[in-house]
């Protein structure tokens, strides 16, 4: 279940708020400048190719490109049997920022976005049907869990794709990880 859990920097072990109603999640995040929406998904095979996925969502991808100026779209997919899953997980676990919006639409599975906004951390467990756009410059990180299972469409204004600037802040290590938050909601 899509879940937004909010923590305060003063006590990152205890949630201040937990929200599971999509419209309320959308409102809370909108107040912070983060776009969240629920979109319908298509029935595609688990092993659908990137081209098949992009073709199935061509209308939505084109609309986002026109609306927000994205130049490219691709598909990222990871499963629990991937031999490099631990290295991929580690790559995204440290707080970082981007010089463009980070947009993900979950076609399959789930993952956990953490947004460090002021003195709070917003942990958004995204799942199939969820679209999130993290504005450029917002400190965040992503946890796919130890046994990742997800497929996402990613959109970029930079044709080079995902480029991060790490902040050096160790806050990501202090907030409950995927195992604690995703496990509590399923």
């Amino acid at each position: 279940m899509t879940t937004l859990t909010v923590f305060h920097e003063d006590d990152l072990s205890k949630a201040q708020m937990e929200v599971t109603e999509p419209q309320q999640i959308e409102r809370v995040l909108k107040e912070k400048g983060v776009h969240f929406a629920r979109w319908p998904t298509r029935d595609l095979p688990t092993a659908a190719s990137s081209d098949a996925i992009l073709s199935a969502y061509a209308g939505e991808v084109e609309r986002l490109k026109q609306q927000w100026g994205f130049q490219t779209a691709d598909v990222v997919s990871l499963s629990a049997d991937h031999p490099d899953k631990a290295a991929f997980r580690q790559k995204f676990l440290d707080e970082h920022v981007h010089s463009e919006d980070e947009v993900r639409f979950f076609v399959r599975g789930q993952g956990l976005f953490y947004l460090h906004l002021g003195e709070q951390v917003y942990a958004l467990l995204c799942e199939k049907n969820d679209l999130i756009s993290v504005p450029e410059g917002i400190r965040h990180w992503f946890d796919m869990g130890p046994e990742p299972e997800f497929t996402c469409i990613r959109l970029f204004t930079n044709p080079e794709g995902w480029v991060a600037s790490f902040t050096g802040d160790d806050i990501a290590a202090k907030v409950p990880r995927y195992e604690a938050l995703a496990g509590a909601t399923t």
Side-chain angles (χ1 to χ4, degrees):
M1 172 186 321
T2 304
T3 304
L4 177 64
T5 308
V6 182
F7 300 89
H8 193 278
E9 283 181 342
D10 291 341
D11 186 358
L12 293 168
S13 65
K14 181 181 167 197
Q16 288 184 308
M17 172 175 61
E18 185 173 281
V19 181
T20 57
E21 199 278 318
Q23 289 80 15
Q24 187 176 0
I25 292 172
E26 183 178 355
R27 281 191 303 274
V28 169
L29 291 177
K30 185 176 182 179
E31 290 173 4
K32 300 297 180 182
V34 176
H35 180 76
F36 171 80
R38 301 268 302 161
W39 281 6
T41 51
R42 313 286 193 278
D43 288 328
L44 297 170
T46 302
S49 70
S50 294
D51 288 342
I53 293 168
L54 289 172
S55 177
Y57 292 95
E60 290 89 342
V61 167
E62 187 57 35
R63 190 169 58 248
L64 288 174
K65 284 182 174 181
Q66 294 297 319
Q67 183 179 0
W68 292 343
F70 296 115
Q71 300 298 310
T72 62
D74 71 6
V75 174
V76 61
S77 187
L78 205 61
S79 60
D81 63 353
H82 195 286
D84 296 323
K85 65 185 178 187
F88 280 118
R89 182 184 190 196
Q90 190 59 47
K91 178 180 179 178
F92 304 108
L93 276 179
D94 290 328
E95 184 183 77
H96 58 276
V97 297
H98 301 285
S99 61
E100 67 176 317
D101 293 359
E102 180 168 343
V103 178
R104 302 291 180 268
F105 174 62
F106 283 78
V107 174
R108 177 184 69 84
Q110 65 181 20
L112 190 55
F113 273 92
Y114 294 84
L115 311 168
H116 187 184
L117 303 166
E119 295 179 349
Q120 293 178 307
V121 174
Y122 293 73
L124 179 63
L125 180 63
C126 293
E127 64 179 14
K128 181 179 177 179
N129 300 92
D130 290 342
L131 171 80
I132 183 171
S133 178
V134 179
E136 73 174 88
I138 287 188
R139 297 178 294 165
H140 67 282
W141 60 97
F142 179 72
D143 189 352
M144 61 186 73
E147 300 296 322
E149 286 294 337
F150 70 91
T151 300
C152 291
I153 296 175
R154 309 184 301 176
L155 291 110
F156 302 99
T157 54
N158 179 351
E160 294 176 24
W162 192 86
V163 179
S165 297
F166 291 91
T167 67
D169 191 328
D170 68 347
I171 192 166
K174 299 174 184 175
V175 180
R177 298 243 174 168
Y178 179 94
E179 296 87 335
L181 297 179
T185 62
T186 57

